[in-house]
Amino acid sequence: MTGQYVRDLQEVDETQVAAVGGKGAHLGGLSRIDGIRVPAGFCVTTDAFRRIMAEAPSLDDQLDRLARLDPDDGEALRTLSAQIRRTIEEIAVPDDLAAAITRGLARLGERAACAVRSSATAEDLPTASFAGQQDTYLNVVGPAAVLRHVSRCWASLFTERAVAYRRHNGIDHRTVHMAVVVQRMVVPHAAGVLFTADPVTGNRTVATVDAGFGLGEALVSGLVNPDVFTVRHGEVVARAIAAKQRAVRALPGGGTRDVAVEPTRQEQPALTDAQVVRLVRLGRRIEAHFGRPQDIEWCLADDDFQIVQSRPITTLYPVPERGDEENHVYVSVGHGQMMTDPMKPLGLSMWQLTAMVPMHEAGGRLFVDVTRRLASPASRDGLLDVLGRGDPLVRDALETVLDREDFVPSLPDAGPGGPPAGGAPAPAETDPAVVTELIERSRASVAALERDIRTRSGPALFDFLLDAFEEHKRVLGDPLSLQAIMAGMEATWWLNDKLAEWLGEKNAADTLTLSAPDNVTSEMGLALLDVADVIRPLPEVVAFLRGVEDVGDAAFLDELAKVAGGAGARDAVEAYLDRYGMRCVGEIDITRPRWRECPTTLVPLILDNVGNFEPGAAGRRFERGRQKARAKERDVLSRLRELPDGDRKADETKRMIDRVRTFIGYREYPKYGIVSRYFVYKQALLREAESLVRAGVLREREDVFYLTFQELHDVVRSHRVDDRLVRRRKDAFRSYHALTPPRVLTSEGEAVNGTYRRDDLPAGALSGLPVSAGTVEGRARVILDLARADLRAGDILVTTFTDPSWSPLFVGVAGLVTEVGGLMTHGAVIAREYGLPAVVGVERATRLIRDGQRIRVHGTEGYVEILS
């Protein structure tokens, strides 16, 4: 029956989405799987839809208006989408098209009851399901009724919800076309949905079946609660049978009606366990065919399962690809690095090439496989201790997995688990010269890299970079550097543990570390206050900065210098960029724009500092912190000396205070060194990209961000690039933003995020990890984009995560709340440096706290109260 306008379902497959839409393509693919029954039918192709759209010239103008609409103008969207639907429904179906559809119906039986179903070209895709966005009509009888409902399906491409969904997903309305599937109606005993992976936990070994009596519409519309069966390894492991009081039935003359279920049947299961297991077996066959977990709609008629739809489950977090069938446990790198956004392929591969341990990609994020270290009791305890001190939720998530005794194999302590995780290196002497030497080593290494890379280009650049990555790892793994980092962290833990034990004081180290020396990240925030001091007395410069959105980044510094007083302001900004211009939000991804590349990013922060601070604020703030730390030291030592064995306790504590103040600032330097090197790598790679654009190999410079380092090396050698690969990578990267990376992920696909096990919180409080002591109350500013910061004195910053680039914002806020973070992550270290009460690891903080609400942050106890 192949034709321009009508194709039999048996003639199409998943490759023909453009002709028959997502649903039609999937149904065609399903009908080809051995043992899978799909109701007979045909597709009215997208050519038919385009023919109809061409019949009404007014639609062009309406679509133009739709594209120009303000996304927030709901009323205009509602009115215009209704007008477009009406226009389409009123178009008479041309005779030849009507005849083709009627011929298709004759093959099903002209008076056969049919399901008429929308099938758009942007639905049931791996990255966007579009579930429920267009319309389906059941039990449609006779050619005239079918034609009328095909028109309604075409029009449903412009339902308000479908238009809004496309806008949200960045899909152009004109690029989506509508096919329609017409199938023989199945009148089922029971119907429902099968998920071939657990849609809540993501576990790929668990399938769930929702089932009810009659047509599946009763479940989809929420008319009844379904029976729910859980199946694992071919066995029903849990069932919840609902009281199903209503069902949707097909009427003899067409249409459907919801009816009461006889009282004696209401609490009977809609399926037997044997039927559930059989259905899941069919689901596994479908999943294998499509190569990913599926959300499947099914009907049961005469003890025979028919499949009426299958789409990918788009909400599942992907699993790192491994070449074995073993169990694996992965820990998120992003949660430790304060960057849980997806990374582009070049960023991922560069981080993998310069990391100290192997890392695995999934969903645009990186994970470390900790299975072997969990398998050996000695390395397990060390790993849990280090990760737990950093982020208790990671520890809890790992313990949750370990509680399933059969998941992580047990190895003897002498097994190949590597050295115990967290085993401390030999201690460094408490000597500031150690830190000075380490900083000088790092600076010298970066300077040598900048000098030597200048003459490298083409394939020789990539050979040079592979050697540079080894030097990168050597600097990162410098034993003295690791000793200094551990010395600062261990002294912090010692002070908190011992002073809680001896004096009953929580988080005493938070005050004792205020204004510690050599902290390059806290210095970065204070240095921007000094830039504001230069700009504050220059009204023309301040006015220029307030209108800076009209000036591009490339021209910003030159235009600034032309304003009265602007030369001095430019010099101050330039000096700041020379020291910190390699930083940016999400800086572990080399592809992110750096401040040196986008200096206007700093303008809102400079303006906040100009308005919120007096001259000389940086020096006063640092000195105030130093004095508070000294006063705290005197107080602690004098109280300790009053205790039994007090002189010994005071002497030990004094040694640890000196130790923490010597080393805790250095904790921030290795990251600064990494990012400094990254900016040098990036500039060299972008020079290669520009060369490839000039040679006509690449369309645009940033296309290299969607290639791995090795792929880019190959492109430079061959002068050939696969444009389709770049396009696929761009689409995938966009889709990864919708995924929430878990703290811990198993090879079964289960996302485990851990919980705080506490019952000492006020009602309604949001639990988190206390990382900087004190209590503060103020206005919550929920800020997701650094460039949109707008702060007043006393505000509390609420955000998803903070990496070092957020530090300039910390000088202007009174407290900090983040969704991601640990005791020794950058935001926590800088919050303590600046004396900001801070709670991190507060799940869904940016959604549960609204911008402008008054909140109270309990930085000592680790929770947040919403006051208004």
Side-chain angles (χ1 to χ4, degrees), residues 340-362:
T340 54
D341 290 347
M343 296 166 68
K344 296 189 178 94
L346 185 63
L348 289 164
S349 65
M350 293 288 280
W351 194 259
Q352 287 171 307
L353 286 165
T354 53
M356 302 302 286
V357 294
M359 293 183 176
H360 309 278
E361 185 272 334

Side-chain angles (χ1 to χ4, degrees), residues 349 363 370 409 465 831 849:
S349 65
V370 295
L465 282 172
I849 300 170

Side-chain angles (χ1 to χ4, degrees), residues 344-350 352-353 462 466 685 692 697-698 703-722 724-729:
K344 296 189 178 94
L346 185 63
L348 289 164
S349 65
M350 293 288 280
Q352 287 171 307
L353 286 165
F462 290 81
L466 288 171
L685 291 172
L692 291 168
V697 177
L698 290 179
D703 281 355
V704 298
F705 295 161
Y706 298 93
L707 302 171
T708 66
F709 179 83
Q710 187 55 57
E711 288 165 349
L712 179 52
H713 190 178
D714 293 341
V715 169
V716 168
R717 271 199 297 248
S718 67
H719 266 222
R720 280 200 305 275
V721 72
D722 182 349
R724 288 168 307 174
L725 174 67
V726 171
R727 275 200 305 277
R728 280 200 308 275
R729 293 268 178 81

Side-chain angles (χ1 to χ4, degrees), residues 175-337:
T175 62
V176 183
H177 300 111
M178 180 67 84
V180 182
V181 176
V182 180
Q183 287 176 282
R184 188 179 289 130
M185 183 75 188
V186 178
V187 180
H189 156 75
V193 180
L194 157 64
F195 295 96
T196 65
D198 188 316
V200 178
T201 69
N203 194 316
R204 285 11 178 218
T205 68
V206 172
T208 63
V209 174
D210 290 6
F213 294 125
L215 293 167
E217 285 301 289
L219 270 58
V220 174
S221 64
L223 185 65
V224 298
N225 290 325
D227 298 339
V228 181
F229 301 87
T230 305
V231 177
R232 185 177 175 123
H233 301 313
E235 184 182 338
V236 176
V237 294
R239 68 181 65 69
I241 306 305
K244 300 170 288 297
Q245 296 172 341
R246 314 289 297 173
V248 174
R249 304 281 187 201
L251 297 173
T256 63
R257 179 190 297 162
D258 75 86
V259 297
V261 175
E262 313 85 90
T264 54
R265 293 188 60 217
Q266 287 178 5
E267 297 198 21
Q268 286 181 5
L271 296 177
T272 65
D273 280 8
Q275 287 171 328
V276 169
V277 169
R278 178 154 53 96
L279 175 61
V280 169
R281 264 202 302 274
L282 295 175
R284 292 285 176 225
R285 199 175 288 180
I286 293 168
E287 178 184 68
H289 175 83
F290 289 119
R292 64 179 65 228
Q294 297 287 303
D295 159 359
I296 297 166
E297 292 179 25
W298 54 269
C299 301
L300 178 69
D302 302 324
D303 197 35
D304 185 20
F305 284 107
Q306 300 221 32
I307 305 302
V308 294
Q309 189 156 335
S310 185
R311 62 169 76 92
I313 308 176
T314 57
T315 54
L316 296 178
Y317 200 84
V319 182
E321 288 184 15
R322 300 304 295 267
D324 59 40
E325 296 299 311
E326 303 294 317
N327 290 346
H328 294 274
V329 182
Y330 303 97
V331 171
S332 162
V333 172
H335 284 80
Q337 289 294 334

